[in-house]
Amino acid sequence: MTQLIYLTVLLPLIGFLINGLLGSKIKNEKIIGGIGSGVVGLSFLIALFSLFELLALPDDQRQVIVHLFTWLKAGGLDVSIAYQVDQLSITMALIVTGVGFLIHVYSIGYMHGDKGFWRFFAYLNLFIFAMMNLVLADNFVLLFLGWEGVGLCSYLLIGFWYDRKFEKSTTSDAAKKAFVVNRIGDFGFLLGMFLIFMTFGSLNFTEVFARASGLNVPTYVFNFIALFLFIGATGKSAQIPLFVWLPDAMAGPTPVSALIHAATMVTAGVYMVARCSIIFASAPAIMTLIAVVGLLTAFFAATIGLVQNDIKKVLAYSTVSQLGYMFLALGVGAFGAGIFHVMTHAFFKALLFLGAGSVIHGMHEEQNLQKYGGLKKYMPTTYKTFLVASIAIAGIPPFAGFFSKDEILWYSFANGGLIFWLIGVATALMTAFYMFRLLTLTFDGTPRFDTHHKHPHESPAVMTIPLIALAVLSVIGGFIGIPEVFSGSHGNLFHGWLAPIFKKAEIKLAHYGSHSHTTELILMAISVIGAASAIWFARKIYLKNPQFAVNTANKFKGLYKVLFNKYYVDEVYESTVVKPILKGSESLLWKFTDVKIIDGAVNGLATIVENSSSYIRKIQTGVTQFYAVIMALGIALALFWIILSL
């Protein structure tokens, strides 16, 4: 089945073509949704059987390259359409297709009746096609094809409801913002690829990573390569300073938020850094930078999430914060922990977004937390699954988020130091607080909406069944990565599974420190007790006083305003980047370069021709005798010239 891994890429493409070309003629939602979901489900099954085949092989043989054909061959560049099946790629493939399948099924109910139903499923399938290219590629060029593909699909899906307003602008503006910001990161990624080819003479993963660990390459070269690649990752995975597109991406339909901006696309940067672990391990300065940026992003986004009132905005900043955790893990050399959090985060964050979609669907598109309340009696299944996801993201054992988040905190202490751990724990406490603030304001207390005009209701089974499946994964998904302190001689199974992928990088990082299991247990207990306390505090405050945030805003107007307005980062970018570029484009590129130089040159040439023609045409009198005289003079002059030249 491993040799058929290309079908996991091809099947979503076929679904895109069928729904994209014939969807408007099919019109039947069940057929369109069945095709869109079915191709992704089949891809998941193929990936699952490929996993079983890998498990049957020895560790040193768990890498299979499936070569289809040569794509580009010029000079020293040799790029193939080929897919690499190993522990890391198959893990990501299962996440993409597994969670993606559940979101596709959910979308059948959520998008019911939408005029662009067929178009939506075509875009979702195209996204899965691009994402599978990204995670399965065996070279940087094919990975970049998927990288750009998910960027395109993000643009299409964020702006799917292009005729709707979003905050102060439109969904189209939000889509354009995501597209432009990602292009900045992609330029850095391209520079990194160019430098990789110049340094190692190849863009094939196997060759590049072998040479990166064997050749005597100066550290500064690794630093530049790693820096450029990380710039690409900051764009795709929404890290400081390129995180501003992700909250606005909530303009798209909620399943888009679950698929692209929680479970898959935004983790592409994390995957790329993990895949290039040997390069980053050879650039210790950039590793430190990654850890610092990740930590600051996690803390920064969590503080913003504390005061947001839009249910999807809270989850959006939570996503940015959790991505920061993943980069913190990568920066301190815990590549396996970073990927582990990618997996668990995919479960509970997709569940949170789909749960939010269920609430929005039941509340007739209302997204303001202050206008919810008491919904658990109307939407019991949504409430129970949302509660599971909230506990998981808060890091309470034995839910999935506990295992991955605790592991990141442990490595941040062991390899990064006390400051990293303290900021990481503070972020975890804020996460627990704002998630249970959201849960309490949405589902508990008395309704704060007009019950005469709004009639909340539970979502249909096609939407709640994916919620239940993701809730189960959010509960049990972490047991595959039980810490060594609990698993004893068996060790951490997930780490053992990924160990061969990161072996060379971990050898280079062997100087990183370690501490006793006793220290690990103490730190674990502190983080769990802290998270539980934050949950209790949020429940105590918002059950008694749902208007607590308003009262707090009155007491701490300055701080609240700064957090509510997201530190004014968008406004700063608007003033320092967007407006100067627009004004410069208008005055320099348009009015001067385009109008005066380019148009001036073209129009000036036309004026010269016109003026010259006005004089020349005066000799066109239409009188035959005049033309005869001119001809005679011409002949005479020609004869005179010939005689003189003899």
Side-chain angles (χ1 to χ4, degrees):
M1 191 62 73
T2 305
Q3 294 298 324
L4 298 177
I5 198 68
Y6 64 89
L7 290 177
T8 63
V9 182
L10 184 60
L11 285 169
L13 179 61
I14 293 172
F16 161 71
L17 293 174
I18 293 173
N19 280 330
L21 297 175
L22 304 176
S24 60
K25 296 179 178 62
I26 296 173
K27 294 183 180 179
N28 188 306
E29 290 187 356
K30 291 183 179 179
I31 295 176
I32 294 170
I35 292 171
S37 304
V39 293
V40 180
L42 287 173
S43 294
F44 172 73
L45 291 176
I46 294 170
L48 186 63
F49 283 117
S50 298
L51 169 67
F52 294 149
E53 287 189 8
L54 285 187
L55 288 170
L57 297 173
D59 283 353
D60 58 351
Q61 296 179 24
R62 287 177 176 168
Q63 185 188 74
V64 180
I65 306 295
V66 180
H67 183 276
L68 298 184
F69 57 88
T70 299
W71 181 16
L72 301 170
K73 195 167 186 179
L77 181 65
D78 189 351
V79 178
S80 297
I81 299 294
Y83 299 111
Q84 178 170 313
V85 184
D86 59 18
Q87 296 93 321
L88 179 58
S89 64
I90 204 66
T91 299
M92 292 298 297
L94 287 168
I95 295 171
V96 172
T97 56
V99 176
F101 170 70
L102 294 174
I103 294 171
H104 274 71
V105 173
Y106 175 96
S107 299
I108 296 173
Y110 189 87
M111 298 300 292
H112 171 65
D114 192 277
K115 63 182 180 180
F117 188 90
W118 62 272
R119 187 165 51 92
F120 184 77
F121 275 88
Y123 291 166
L124 285 186
N125 280 172
L126 182 62
F127 171 80
I128 296 292
F129 163 74
M131 193 68 195
M132 291 301 288
N133 266 303
L134 193 158
V135 301
L136 290 172
D138 90 321
N139 60 79
F140 282 98
V141 180
L142 187 55
L143 184 150
F144 192 71
L145 173 69
W147 190 273
E148 291 299 290
V150 294
L152 168 64
C153 294
S154 176
Y155 171 79
L156 295 173
L157 287 165
I158 294 170
F160 182 78
W161 285 325
Y162 54 85
D163 54 350
R164 295 192 184 186
K165 291 288 184 182
F166 176 71
E167 295 185 344
K168 298 178 181 178
S169 56
T170 65
T171 58
S172 297
D173 291 326
K176 184 165 57 178
K177 182 177 182 180
F179 194 79
V180 171
V181 172
N182 271 277
R183 296 294 73 73
I184 298 170
D186 295 350
F187 178 67
F189 191 11
L190 273 174
L191 292 178
M193 287 172 57
F194 295 155
L195 194 51
I196 286 171
F197 186 72
M198 289 174 59
T199 306
F200 303 112
S202 176
L203 288 172
N204 181 279
F205 289 156
T206 303
E207 295 175 3
V208 169
F209 300 151
R211 293 169 189 174
S213 60
L215 294 179
N216 187 20
V217 178
T219 301
Y220 76 88
V221 175
F222 279 116
N223 283 338
F224 276 114
I225 293 174
L227 178 61
F228 288 140
L229 294 180
F230 179 56
I231 290 172
T234 60
K236 198 65 70 185
S237 295
Q239 298 296 286
I240 292 174
L242 301 179
F243 70 95
V244 291
W245 68 270
L246 183 60
D248 284 8
M250 299 303 109
T254 305
V256 173
S257 305
L259 179 64
I260 297 182
H261 308 114
T264 49
M265 173 184 159
V266 291
T267 60
V270 181
Y271 165 77
M272 184 268 288
V273 173
R275 174 61 74 186
C276 302
S277 58
I278 184 61
I279 292 176
F280 285 91
S282 303
I286 305 304
M287 289 278 285
T288 302
L289 175 66
I290 292 172
V292 171
V293 169
L295 189 64
L296 291 178
T297 302
F299 184 84
F300 178 83
T303 59
I304 297 174
L306 291 171
V307 298
Q308 298 303 307
N309 288 322
D310 185 308
I311 186 171
K312 288 177 68 176
K313 277 291 182 73
V314 176
L315 297 179
Y317 280 103
S318 170
T319 297
V320 176
S321 183
Q322 296 304 305
L323 288 166
Y325 261 110
M326 297 171 201
F327 279 98
L328 170 61
L330 299 175
V332 298
F335 297 104
I339 296 299
F340 187 30
H341 200 54
V342 166
M343 183 185 75
T344 60
H345 178 262
F347 299 152
F348 56 70
K349 186 53 65 64
L351 175 55
L352 287 168
F353 269 114
L354 296 186
S358 183
V359 170
I360 295 167
H361 182 267
M363 286 292 290
H364 311 288
E365 304 306 313
E366 178 60 64
Q367 295 184 203
N368 191 337
L369 295 174
Q370 301 300 335
K371 297 179 180 179
Y372 289 162
L375 290 180
K376 67 180 177 182
K377 69 177 180 180
Y378 300 101
M379 313 175 72
T381 302
T382 299
Y383 167 69
K384 291 172 186 175
T385 54
F386 205 95
L387 175 61
V388 167
S390 299
I391 296 173
I393 195 174
I396 302 298
F399 291 73
F402 160 74
F403 295 101
S404 57
K405 186 178 288 187
D406 179 76
E407 190 173 7
I408 292 173
L409 289 173
W410 164 242
Y411 276 105
S412 68
F413 177 81
N415 298 343
L418 181 61
I419 297 297
F420 277 28
W421 181 82
L422 286 173
I423 298 175
V425 168
T427 302
L429 300 190
M430 286 189 286
T431 301
F433 181 86
Y434 67 64
M435 282 310 307
F436 275 83
R437 167 183 177 264
L438 185 156
L439 182 79
T440 304
L441 288 176
T442 302
F443 294 101
D444 291 302
T446 56
R448 296 183 298 281
F449 53 87
D450 186 352
T451 55
H452 295 291
H453 294 89
K454 286 192 177 179
H455 305 284
H457 56 84
E458 186 60 274
S459 298
V462 73
M463 293 172 66
T464 56
I465 290 174
L467 295 181
I468 295 169
L470 287 168
V472 171
L473 290 171
S474 297
V475 173
I476 67 172
F479 286 100
I480 196 174
I482 295 176
E484 188 178 330
V485 66
F486 295 130
S487 59
S489 59
H490 297 289
N492 187 315
L493 294 178
F494 194 78
H495 270 210
W497 166 248
L498 293 177
I501 302 295
F502 306 127
K503 184 177 180 181
K504 292 179 180 178
E506 289 176 351
I507 291 173
K508 278 192 175 273
L509 299 172
H511 63 281
Y512 276 176
S514 61
H515 297 268
S516 68
H517 286 326
T518 302
T519 306
E520 182 179 358
L521 288 171
I522 292 172
L523 297 179
M524 188 185 299
I526 293 173
S527 65
V528 171
I529 293 171
S533 301
I535 291 171
W536 172 82
F537 188 49
R539 299 281 292 173
K540 179 179 174 62
I541 290 173
Y542 288 100
L543 276 175
K544 287 185 177 180
N545 182 14
Q547 297 299 316
F548 176 78
V550 177
N551 298 335
T552 305
N554 293 329
K555 290 182 180 178
F556 305 98
K557 286 184 179 180
L559 178 60
Y560 182 88
K561 194 174 181 181
V562 168
L563 296 180
F564 187 77
N565 289 286
K566 293 93 71 175
Y567 292 95
Y568 298 98
V569 173
D570 281 308
E571 288 78 3
V572 171
Y573 283 179
E574 182 77 16
S575 300
T576 60
V577 179
V578 177
K579 286 184 178 178
I581 289 176
L582 288 175
K583 288 183 179 179
S585 300
E586 181 181 354
S587 59
L588 178 63
L589 298 180
W590 172 35
K591 292 183 178 179
F592 178 73
T593 305
D594 190 22
V595 175
K596 292 186 177 180
I597 296 180
I598 298 175
D599 288 352
V602 174
N603 295 334
L605 183 61
T607 302
I608 292 171
V609 172
E610 181 183 11
N611 292 337
S612 302
S613 300
S614 67
Y615 290 107
I616 294 172
R617 73 185 179 188
K618 290 179 180 180
I619 66 175
Q620 304 293 327
T621 62
V623 179
T624 305
Q625 294 88 332
F626 178 76
Y627 295 156
V629 171
I630 295 298
M631 289 175 63
L633 287 174
I635 292 170
L637 288 172
L639 290 173
F640 184 70
W641 177 261
I642 292 170
I643 292 169
L644 289 177
S645 56
L646 290 175

